[in-house]
Amino acid sequence: MTEISREHLKNLLDRERTTYRENNPRSIELYGQAKNLFGSVPMTWMNKWSGGFPLYFETAQGNQITDVDGHTYIDFALGDTGAMAGHSPQASTAAINERIAVAGGITTMLPTSDAQWVGAELTRRFGLPLWSFTLTATDANRWAVRLARLATGKSKILVFSYCYHGSVDETFAVPDATGAAVARPGNVAPPVALAETTRVVEFNDLAAVERELANGDVAAILTEPAMTNIGIVLPEPGFLSGLRELATKYNALLMIDETHTFSAGPGGMTARDNLAPDIFVIGKSIGAGIPCGAYGITQEVADLLANHPEADLIDVGGVGGTLAGNALSLTAMRATLEQLLTDEAFSHMIELGTRYTDGVRAILERYEINWSISQIGARAEYRFTSPAPLNGSDSAAKSDDELDEFMHLYMCNRGILMTPFHNMALMCPTTTQADVDAHERLFEAAIVELAQIK
Ligand SMILES: Cc1ncc(COP(=O)(O)O)c(C=O)c1O
């Protein structure tokens, strides 16, 4: 295997940081002026951007972004999946404009018929018959977790170490040496000790799942069908069907969050791999960037909920939000599902996802670089370790902040944006082969420099 010298990497990283500062004077200036914002950004996670300050953007169309210093980028970050249909895609913006400016009524406390259309379409794609709408995937997870506790009368949620499901208190847990749930490093002021709400094990470890379920207090297993927020961690054969069987055996609900793995196809991994969840969660991409989310439940879960007439599921019982289910989100979801994230669009996006993955893998093999790449349809991500990790803790342990920053800045300084939280690339309907090939050329150039290949 080819060694990458840390000294050399540090020098390259310094060079890329300098170029980034020199290239982006207007972004630096705006960032410097943002002292009235907590952390100098509209949302604190925007400080995750490599290079010490985020780019300020001016326009974004399809898979291209132009920043305030006049650079135009090929965007593979796509708002970390929020813009999987592309930035401001025409079909959605036409419907959104019609709702806002012509028909009128962004939020009214009244339904529109778009909700039924979207519900029926989600049923066609993912199978569950009953749907509720939210403004974010975080909200969908939070509210669905409450429903799972109500339906089962059990208190805990089982999650996988280093999972991410939005800012959901129950999920920021890792196992300690004894297997008990403790707060994950960095967890901001958890409201209660994690062991009170959560059981946590490693992804791909069915024996540990069974051991924890056997305590009899787990309302739901909450999981992505492949982890996507600690690199991509794919399920081993039999793991997801094993989860389904164990959930049924121990009277827990299986809750599948496909906010990111929707990239696998028009019906996500749920349809592709016949996952049969009791509760299903999605968000981000289905509104083309307009805040939205949804959770679906089976008739059996609805029947269990109906056994609890004392629970206030209508007003202030802890499930709901004034703007949730608003007319604008539903219009955006309808247009996006009907016209943009179609079967044909997915075929194109997945084909490019495969081209991207094959290209990166071939370069890693050619230069004998000990990294790996994993793909979920239109989404691919490389990780600085090989073989690809099988669970979240292992993947977290293999993180490499310097390599990560170098790859982000190398790409950004040459016109390609990768997702700031990881080395994820996502294809949208307007991504082209030429875009993927441009990435491949740059990726090869970065590897040749890094590994000092003559
Ligand atoms: C799997 C998964 N679920 C839920 C969320 C939360 O989405 P949002 O930030 O839109 O609430 C995320 C965000 O990255 C996610 O990756």
Side-chain angles (χ1 to χ4, degrees):
M1 279 293 148
T2 309
E3 279 297 310
I4 294 174
S5 142
R6 299 309 295 194
E7 192 61 29
H8 179 59
L9 169 60
K10 280 194 175 65
N11 293 337
L12 288 181
L13 185 50
D14 281 348
R15 183 192 74 189
E16 294 303 321
R17 283 182 183 142
T18 305
T19 307
Y20 182 67
R21 295 192 78 78
E22 285 171 359
N23 281 356
N24 297 293
R26 182 75 186 123
S27 280
I28 298 183
E29 192 184 349
L30 287 167
Y31 185 65
Q33 289 166 359
K35 297 291 181 229
N36 59 336
L37 304 181
F38 181 46
S40 301
V41 279
M43 183 62 227
T44 45
W45 55 254
M46 289 185 193
N47 275 320
K48 183 81 183 169
W49 196 266
S50 294
F53 60 95
L55 293 180
Y56 277 64
F57 87 96
E58 201 128 87
T59 62
Q61 297 287 336
N63 70 328
Q64 296 204 334
I65 291 186
T66 300
D67 71 13
V68 291
D69 286 288
H71 313 111
T72 295
Y73 299 90
I74 301 168
D75 182 21
F76 284 108
L78 295 172
D80 196 14
T81 317
M84 188 165 87
H87 295 292
S88 297
Q90 207 274 330
S92 294
T93 53
I96 289 163
N97 287 340
E98 165 72 23
R99 166 51 61 198
I100 293 178
V102 183
I106 296 169
T107 193
T108 59
M109 300 183 84
L110 295 171
T112 60
S113 62
D114 285 338
Q116 276 110 302
W117 190 95
V118 174
E121 177 64 7
L122 294 175
T123 299
R124 186 184 75 78
R125 290 179 183 236
F126 305 111
L128 296 90
L130 297 167
W131 294 89
S132 232
F133 298 102
T134 68
L135 291 180
T136 63
T138 297
D139 286 345
N141 276 315
R142 280 191 191 143
W143 301 344
V145 159
R146 280 182 170 253
L147 296 183
R149 286 200 298 259
L150 183 68
T152 60
K154 299 182 188 182
S155 64
K156 293 198 170 101
I157 303 300
L158 188 149
V159 296
F160 294 101
S161 186
Y162 284 95
C163 66
Y164 185 72
H165 297 279
S167 41
V168 179
D169 289 323
E170 290 88 342
T171 60
F172 291 105
V174 289
D176 70 7
T178 69
V182 292
R184 167 182 169 156
N187 189 347
V188 178
V192 293
L194 269 289
E196 284 186 38
T197 59
T198 306
R199 294 193 174 276
V200 60
V201 298
E202 295 298 346
F203 199 72
N204 278 321
D205 187 348
L206 281 177
V209 171
E210 177 149 30
R211 184 191 69 222
E212 295 300 318
L213 288 176
N215 289 293
D217 54 6
V218 171
I221 301 171
L222 168 56
T223 187
E224 293 184 276
M227 299 183 88
T228 64
N229 288 292
I230 187 74
I232 288 178
V233 178
L234 295 172
E236 296 233 84
F239 178 65
L240 297 174
S241 56
L243 284 186
R244 175 64 276 174
E245 281 163 26
L246 288 174
T248 305
K249 179 172 170 191
Y250 289 95
N251 288 319
L253 301 176
L254 179 62
M255 195 170 153
I256 298 276
D257 177 355
E258 289 242 43
T259 301
H260 279 177
T261 53
F262 183 32
S263 61
M269 288 177 70
T270 293
R272 194 191 74 183
D273 302 344
N274 294 317
L275 299 186
D278 302 297
I279 301 182
F280 177 95
V281 165
I282 194 162
K284 295 200 190 187
S285 60
I286 56 172
I290 295 292
C292 69
Y295 54 90
I297 60 174
T298 59
Q299 187 59 53
E300 290 72 23
V301 171
D303 292 344
L304 289 172
L305 296 173
N307 292 336
H308 295 277
E310 76 291 353
D312 181 358
L313 280 169
I314 295 178
D315 193 2
V316 286
V319 171
T322 312
L323 298 188
N326 73 73
L328 180 62
S329 328
L330 267 307
T331 296
M333 284 189 257
R334 178 174 184 160
T336 305
L337 291 169
E338 197 170 24
Q339 300 177 60
L340 290 161
L341 295 177
T342 58
D343 291 5
E344 302 74 54
F346 269 102
S347 300
H348 168 74
M349 290 152 59
I350 292 171
E351 199 180 306
L352 290 182
T354 303
R355 186 180 179 94
Y356 178 99
T357 307
D358 291 348
V360 167
R361 188 171 288 134
I363 291 164
L364 297 178
E365 281 170 9
R366 188 173 321 139
Y367 298 108
E368 301 188 338
I369 303 294
N370 201 29
W371 301 357
S372 51
I373 179 157
S374 302
Q375 179 188 1
I376 307 170
R379 176 186 201 91
E381 179 159 356
Y382 51 85
R383 198 98 186 125
F384 308 117
T385 183
S386 179
L390 291 178
N391 66 52
S393 295
D394 185 30
S395 195
K398 303 278 172 48
S399 298
D400 189 323
D401 291 346
E402 283 174 345
L403 269 179
D404 198 72
E405 186 176 2
F406 171 73
M407 290 305 290
H408 279 92
L409 288 180
Y410 190 94
M411 294 288 165
C412 179
N413 287 338
R414 292 159 185 79
I416 286 186
L417 298 184
M418 304 291 287
T419 311
F421 303 102
H422 20 194
N423 300 94
M424 191 276 281
L426 184 64
M427 316 295 142
C428 76
T430 59
T431 308
T432 64
Q433 258 186 33
D435 297 330
V436 171
D437 294 348
H439 171 270
E440 193 177 316
R441 281 193 299 277
L442 271 188
F443 185 81
E444 179 164 18
I447 293 292
V448 165
E449 273 218 61
L450 257 180
Q452 299 177 278
I453 290 157
K454 303 284 178 240

